Amino acid sequence: MKLSLDIAESFKIALSAIVANKSRGALTALGIIIGIVAVITTMTAANGLKNTFRQTFSSVGADVIYVSKRPWVQMGPGFRFRNRKDISLAASDALQQRLLGRGVVNPSISSNKNVKYQSKVLEGIRISGTTEKQIIVSDMVPSTGRFLMPFDVEYKKSVAVIGSEIADGLYGNSDPIGKHIKIGRNKFLVIGVMEKQGTSFFGGPNFDRQIYIPITTYGKTLGHNGGRANVNIAIKAPSQESMADFEFEVIGEMRKIRGLKPAEDDDFSINKLDTLLDAYNNMMGAVVLVGLIITSISLFVGGVGVMNIMFVSVTERTKEIGIRKAIGAKRRSILLQFLFESSIICLFGGIIGLSIAALLTEIINEMLMPASLSPSIIITALVISVFVGVVSGFVPAYRGAKLDPIEALRYE
Amino acid sequence: MSVQESDQVTSDTEMSEAILKIKDVTRTYFMGDQEVNALRGVSLNINKGEYVAIMGPSGSGKSTLMNTIGCLDVPTSGSYHLEGVGVNEMSEDQLAEIRNEKIGFVFQTFNLVPRVSVFQNVELPLIYKGVPKRKRREIVEKAIASVGLEDRSDHKSNELSGGQRQRVAIARALVCEPSIILADEPTGNLDSKTGAEIMVLLNRLHEKGHTIILVTHEDEIAEHAHRIVRLRDGLIESDTRS
Ligand SMILES: Nc1ncnc2c1ncn2[C@@H]1O[C@H](COP(=O)(O)OP(=O)(O)OP(=O)(O)O)[C@@H](O)[C@H]1O
Ligand SMILES: [Mg+2]
């Protein structure tokens, strides 16, 4: 018999056997349903976490390199970094010069201060001294008013662009623009309010509780140790594709600026979104892996259940197998018949499991974090289901296929 | 003595068209360390179109011989040729193919596939033969009509009487137009009236030119055949033609 015909007919025979014994099929599928729900929900939750993480750090910008004294993700003892020389504003200027206008260089410096308007005080607000290029390296813009301009920086203006939470906290319903704000002991004029960014349960920086002022003004008024403040330099690459080369170039220039000898290690750190994502993947990868292993066990147990039922099914139908063989069924036909039976049951379980997982994902999406069932997850689930069906059906099916026809016919 | 007799038959039929040739076939079952010699050296030629009854006491090896002829079982020793083709060296799947195309089985216990309809039961050998669906319908309907069950086509086998089930089995045995129809006590589970009806069907098949071999304990049934082979203790005791 031609294989294609064999497959089609075995499929139909398997299907009618399942239809003839629906309740058993449903019970068998239950194990697979539970397994698929567990595995798929774990996968969508993991994806949701990743999405949330990305969202949290979207302000970092994929094409931006940060040069700082310390790495964002610190491995090993911290004193190595603490003892490094501060990065000066002059270094930032020098870097800008050396990059010859390729890439946007923005220095910034920050500390926490209490801020005050009339009698209202907000404590521990992050004050960033920066330049007008801040909005080029991060994709945040003011919702009302304006951001810093070159002349604000050049003439060391006492102006501030405040986060939305500060606007709400200090000014309530009235418009903060044109009003004063006291940062530490200095008075600033509010010229803009930043768009609300929101927060995630990852924590991360809360940009809504941040105030931007010109970096020059920062040095003059808040810089406790004058010119020796530690600056972070953000450099936006000309394009995302050239990131790797550009990073290499930045490192080279920084080493020259810092006067390092060839044998010396870098005394500054390069940070970028990838660094964070790598750290995230390292950490979450392990967590997700453990989750998948645990949930896979439930799928495995479901598979063992299918195997068990298939053994029963083959034994129960020993006589039928004998009859089929007597009238010309080859081993392959019997094998396919039972393989299809277990695969169809598992695929059916997979589809139901997937539907339940879709529902759970929707609930997670509503209540916790942005999670969704991607086509690749759906395909994975279906492939896994069929795979479990084939694997757990194989041994029983093989046993049925190699039964001796006479002994099978004698079976009562 | 008995061996000589059967040898004679062999040489008698050498000239004519032997559809199956069995020579010195033995079949030994091993049950633990105990040996059961179900066939102890059987030689038998059967010609195309013959109507043969195999008789003998219980345990004499009738079913074992039928299973060997039907390629369900292979001899422990000796040779078996079906339509000139040696069966001994065949693989299990080749045997399945021969059973499908050349043998039609009718069993004492009917052996229909449960849960499926009469039509589907009769269709099954065609499916395993690889006949495409559009060609199957007509063949199956013809076979069902030939046993007079047109109006039961969609019934499940458990909704039928014993006689009707055996008719379905006969239709199923016919559907691939086999060289030989093997019936192991086809009337054994039926009352004499229904058994007689089944025999009418088998006689009609013989008249149409089918080769029929049947096992029976009853003389009235054996009388339908034109040749009676008697077995005893795994050997042919007598082989007579009427
Ligand atoms: N699968 C088997 N395993 C062991 N012994 C067997 C097997 N099949 C048959 N036998 C033995 O072989 C001998 C012949 O059996 P067989 O079924 O051929 O007899 P039979 O002539 O058909 O008998 P009956 O008229 O009762 O059907 C018996 O002794 C039986 O016990
Ligand atoms: Mg018998």
Side-chain angles (χ1 to χ4, degrees):
Chain A
M1 179 167 9
K2 279 220 305 290
L3 183 63
S4 56
L5 198 69
D6 210 348
I7 288 173
E9 294 300 342
S10 303
F11 183 83
K12 276 187 241 165
I13 290 169
L15 204 59
S16 62
I18 295 169
V19 171
N21 208 335
K22 291 188 204 73
S23 54
R24 186 166 71 190
L27 216 57
T28 315
L30 192 63
I32 301 298
I33 294 173
I34 293 169
I36 287 290
V37 167
V39 171
I40 296 308
T41 311
T42 307
M43 282 166 93
T44 54
N47 268 4
L49 283 177
K50 197 169 210 162
N51 290 341
T52 311
F53 185 84
R54 271 181 204 285
Q55 251 174 28
T56 308
F57 293 97
S58 64
S59 61
V60 170
D63 56 352
V64 180
I65 297 167
Y66 292 82
V67 179
S68 332
K69 186 170 156 184
R70 291 156 177 262
W72 288 344
V73 182
Q74 197 165 304
M75 312 267 184
F79 66 85
R80 285 194 302 152
F81 310 116
R82 215 164 33 234
N83 292 343
R84 282 173 171 178
K85 200 161 67 171
D86 282 339
I87 295 175
S88 65
L89 196 53
S92 169
D93 292 340
L95 188 62
Q96 171 135 45
Q97 299 246 306
R98 284 166 176 270
L99 291 175
L100 301 165
R102 285 173 313 107
V104 177
V105 179
N106 182 58
S108 69
I109 181 165
S110 51
S111 57
N112 289 350
K113 289 274 179 309
N114 294 348
V115 299
K116 194 172 165 196
Y117 175 67
Q118 292 173 346
S119 60
K120 289 184 192 145
V121 178
L122 292 176
E123 289 183 356
I125 300 299
R126 190 165 180 80
I127 314 295
S128 272
T130 182
T131 77
E132 73 282 356
K133 290 170 193 151
Q134 177 73 42
I135 50 176
I136 302 175
V137 295
S138 71
D139 58 359
M140 291 178 282
V141 289
S143 56
T144 56
R146 63 169 176 88
F147 198 71
L148 303 176
M149 298 278 198
F151 58 83
D152 294 321
V153 180
E154 196 173 335
Y155 298 111
K156 305 185 182 177
K157 298 271 191 165
S158 291
V159 291
V161 181
I162 63 176
S164 61
E165 216 172 286
I166 298 165
D168 293 344
L170 290 186
Y171 304 96
N173 290 332
S174 64
D175 184 5
I177 298 193
K179 304 217 164 69
H180 282 94
I181 185 166
K182 210 165 170 197
I183 302 173
R185 271 170 281 125
N186 303 281
K187 246 185 180 176
F188 285 77
L189 181 69
V190 178
I191 56 169
V193 178
M194 297 302 282
E195 240 174 19
K196 189 171 172 62
Q197 300 296 321
T199 53
S200 76
F201 56 75
F202 273 112
N206 183 350
F207 294 104
D208 298 331
R209 285 176 68 83
Q210 185 153 11
I211 296 178
Y212 299 102
I213 62 173
I215 191 164
T216 46
T217 321
Y218 186 100
K220 189 177 76 179
T221 56
L222 305 172
H224 11 265
N225 23 21
R228 269 188 52 236
N230 181 34
V231 171
N232 285 307
I233 311 173
I235 310 126
K236 191 181 170 80
S239 71
Q240 205 168 334
E241 294 73 49
S242 62
M243 269 290 273
D245 291 343
F246 192 68
E247 178 183 337
F248 197 70
E249 198 179 335
V250 167
I251 293 173
E253 298 301 347
M254 273 309 288
R255 288 182 63 90
K256 284 183 210 153
I257 292 164
R258 303 277 275 182
L260 295 175
K261 298 195 181 73
E264 279 178 297
D265 285 339
D266 291 348
D267 62 350
F268 53 90
S269 293
I270 297 286
N271 295 304
K272 53 194 167 148
L273 184 60
D274 283 356
T275 322
L276 287 180
L277 289 182
D278 285 351
Y280 172 83
N281 286 340
N282 280 345
M283 178 186 71
M284 283 310 287
V287 174
V288 169
L289 190 68
V290 170
L292 280 181
I293 289 173
I294 292 171
T295 50
S296 296
I297 291 172
S298 69
L299 196 58
F300 176 80
V301 171
V304 171
V306 173
M307 189 183 284
N308 203 7
I309 301 277
M310 288 311 294
F311 269 125
V312 172
S313 186
V314 166
T315 308
E316 252 182 24
R317 274 140 74 193
T318 299
K319 178 118 184 174
E320 180 190 324
I321 293 171
I323 297 169
R324 289 179 185 277
K325 286 198 157 194
I327 60 176
K330 292 184 184 160
R331 280 174 300 187
R332 188 177 69 192
S333 306
I334 305 290
L335 186 78
L336 283 175
Q337 174 187 340
F338 286 102
L339 273 187
F340 271 125
E341 192 169 321
S342 62
S343 309
I344 293 170
I345 289 174
C346 288
L347 182 61
F348 171 76
I351 291 170
I352 293 184
L354 207 48
S355 316
I356 296 173
L359 210 72
L360 288 178
T361 304
E362 197 43 49
I363 293 171
I364 291 173
N365 193 33
E366 295 276 300
M367 301 179 62
L368 276 176
M369 57 197 175
S372 64
L373 266 188
S374 67
S376 67
I377 289 183
I378 293 174
I379 292 169
T380 308
L382 297 181
V383 169
I384 289 177
S385 312
V386 173
F387 179 76
V388 170
V390 170
V391 169
S392 52
F394 188 81
V395 178
Y398 185 75
R399 181 182 281 186
K402 72 177 200 345
L403 279 176
D404 179 62
I406 295 179
E407 267 162 38
L409 274 172
R410 284 164 163 260
Y411 185 87
E412 289 304 328
Chain B
M1 223 77 77
S2 52
V3 176
Q4 258 174 344
E5 234 169 1
S6 64
D7 272 350
Q8 229 174 341
V9 172
T10 309
S11 46
D12 274 356
T13 53
E14 212 93 70
M15 335 263 103
S16 45
E17 205 186 337
I19 198 166
L20 65 87
K21 293 182 183 177
I22 290 173
K23 196 151 170 46
D24 302 328
V25 161
T26 68
R27 179 66 172 97
T28 307
Y29 291 107
F30 298 95
M31 306 189 68
D33 46 352
Q34 207 184 335
E35 286 185 15
V36 180
N37 294 304
L39 295 177
R40 301 195 291 146
V42 171
S43 296
L44 180 68
N45 284 7
I46 291 177
N47 293 339
K48 191 165 167 40
E50 271 197 288
Y51 195 166
V52 183
I54 296 174
M55 298 189 76
S58 185
S60 58
K62 304 182 295 295
S63 294
T64 307
L65 180 59
M66 288 292 262
N67 291 340
T68 308
I69 294 173
C71 297
L72 276 170
D73 201 358
V74 282
T76 308
S77 73
S79 72
Y80 171 34
H81 287 81
L82 178 64
E83 292 189 322
V85 183
V87 168
N88 296 54
E89 281 85 41
M90 286 193 172
S91 73
E92 213 181 294
D93 281 349
Q94 283 172 315
L95 290 175
E97 213 162 283
I98 290 195
R99 290 195 293 270
N100 182 243
E101 291 175 3
K102 305 200 165 164
I103 312 283
F105 285 103
V106 179
F107 300 94
Q108 178 176 357
T109 52
F110 321 129
N111 284 351
L112 301 182
V113 176
R115 298 185 308 269
V116 307
S117 70
V118 166
F119 186 93
Q120 285 170 306
N121 258 292
V122 177
E123 188 185 25
L124 218 45
L126 293 173
I127 290 176
Y128 290 129
K129 193 178 177 183
V131 178
K133 193 177 177 67
R134 67 202 134 76
K135 292 192 190 156
R136 293 200 296 255
R137 170 143 229 115
E138 198 189 335
I139 305 174
V140 173
E141 277 168 358
K142 231 175 88 187
I144 293 176
S146 76
V147 297
L149 283 177
E150 303 91 315
D151 52 340
R152 293 285 190 278
S153 195
D154 294 329
H155 288 229
K156 299 268 161 66
S157 50
N158 55 345
E159 297 162 6
L160 301 176
S161 71
Q164 287 170 329
R165 289 183 202 193
Q166 200 60 302
R167 284 161 186 268
V168 176
I170 290 173
R172 187 179 66 187
L174 283 177
V175 79
C176 283
E177 296 180 353
S179 320
I180 309 172
I181 291 177
L182 298 177
D184 193 344
E185 302 191 45
T187 60
N189 277 19
L190 302 173
D191 59 57
S192 53
K193 183 172 162 289
T194 322
E197 284 168 18
I198 293 298
M199 288 317 293
V200 170
L201 271 179
L202 287 178
N203 293 345
R204 203 191 295 157
L205 289 175
H206 174 247
E207 279 156 27
K208 282 190 193 158
H210 282 99
T211 310
I212 296 176
I213 305 173
L214 74 89
V215 169
T216 184
H217 284 290
E218 296 165 70
D219 289 330
E220 313 92 88
I221 301 289
E223 272 165 17
H224 292 274
H226 305 148
R227 177 178 171 191
I228 296 177
V229 175
R230 289 183 193 275
L231 288 183
R232 183 176 292 276
D233 292 337
L235 289 170
I236 292 182
E237 183 185 46
S238 69
D239 184 349
T240 54
R241 290 160 197 267
S242 53

